[in-house]
Amino acid sequence: MPLRSGKVPRDAVHHPLFARCYARASVAAETRMGMGRIRERLLGGLSGRVIEIGAGNGLNFAHYPGTVAEVVAIEPERRLRHLAVEAALRAEVPVDVVPGAAESLPVKSEGFDAAVVSLVLCSVRDVPRALGELLRVLRPGGEVRFFEHGRGGGRAMGFTQHALDRTVWPLLSGGCHVAREPVRALRDAGFELGPYRRVLMPEQGPTLPTSYCVLGTAWRPAEGL
């Protein structure tokens, strides 16, 4: 895989306790919360070279269609990265798991047809910089598939989300924030927004500060437009 010049930190994120908890909970959520169906919708129809940001333990890998030529999966957390490597060995498409941070992707510019961000913009340290990196590595007209959680609900829920973000939630959840606005962030970064839909997770059951999700598509503007 073509890398950018310069040293890439092997462990840009270090949350070993959260990584263990996330690995267990995410596997259970595949069926109990319907995340498997979400991943199918998120990744369906992709083709060519794909970069996935914050691949976690690699649960997306099994859902990439055969039209994908290669997936370069960036994961900064060591334990999750090891699990992602194991998942890559079982995938039906070629997957290369690479250490690195969303704010400084270790790949060359305009090398990818599509990018995938799935429950990652909530936890990156610098969202505008990370999205600027996505613009850099996508070819003109390349698409972004996103499934993210963020701000939602009424005034009381919004107050709760902001209070959690200012206090305990990022410390307990590996840097996660519940009141970010991923659609606005993509638009502000210069992406063209395509269709997207709001999703509650879980679809049935209690509505939590983390329940307000959005599933959709955006594009890097084509040259000359």
Side-chain angles (χ1 to χ4, degrees):
M1 182 193 69
L3 297 179
R4 297 172 70 191
S5 61
K7 185 176 180 181
V8 177
R10 293 196 61 83
D11 293 305
V13 173
H14 184 62
H15 298 297
L17 180 59
F18 170 76
R20 289 186 178 91
C21 296
Y22 175 83
R24 295 191 186 98
S26 61
V27 171
E30 288 296 284
T31 54
R32 295 178 185 175
M33 295 180 62
M35 273 302 302
R37 295 190 301 273
I38 292 291
R39 296 183 199 279
E40 291 287 345
R41 293 199 289 267
L42 174 69
L43 304 174
L46 285 175
S47 62
R49 297 188 74 227
V50 178
I51 184 167
E52 181 175 340
I53 311 302
N57 49 339
L59 293 182
N60 277 338
F61 300 166
H63 299 278
Y64 279 102
T67 47
V68 168
E70 178 191 15
V71 178
V72 176
I74 309 296
E75 174 49 50
E77 212 289 325
R78 180 183 298 182
R79 182 176 181 83
L80 292 176
R81 190 166 64 245
H82 288 171
L83 294 173
V85 169
E86 294 175 3
L89 295 175
R90 301 188 296 269
E92 296 184 2
V93 301
V95 179
D96 188 9
V97 180
V98 180
E103 297 90 344
S104 183
L105 296 174
V107 294
K108 291 183 177 180
S109 300
E110 299 187 358
F112 294 90
D113 301 295
V116 173
V117 286
S118 176
L119 301 178
V120 65
L121 295 181
C122 61
S123 60
V124 299
R125 294 186 178 96
D126 188 332
V127 174
R129 183 176 173 186
L131 293 178
E133 279 288 272
L134 279 191
L135 282 171
R136 179 183 67 80
V137 303
L138 281 172
R139 64 168 174 78
E143 67 177 313
V144 177
R145 300 287 185 89
F146 59 90
F147 177 70
E148 297 289 339
H149 74 87
R151 184 178 177 182
R155 181 177 297 179
M157 179 60 77
F159 177 84
T160 300
Q161 289 177 319
H162 283 290
L164 287 171
D165 280 357
R166 290 193 298 267
T167 54
V168 299
W169 190 256
L171 296 174
L172 296 176
S173 302
C176 174
H177 296 74
V178 293
R180 289 181 175 175
E181 299 183 64
V183 171
R184 176 182 292 182
L186 284 159
R187 184 183 293 113
D188 290 348
F191 286 96
E192 296 176 350
L193 266 295
Y196 63 89
R197 60 186 289 248
R198 303 289 179 179
V199 181
L200 278 177
M201 295 296 290
E203 295 176 345
Q204 298 180 352
T207 301
L208 307 172
T210 56
S211 291
Y212 300 92
C213 300
V214 61
L215 172 69
T217 304
W219 285 271
R220 173 184 165 174
E223 290 181 329
L225 296 181

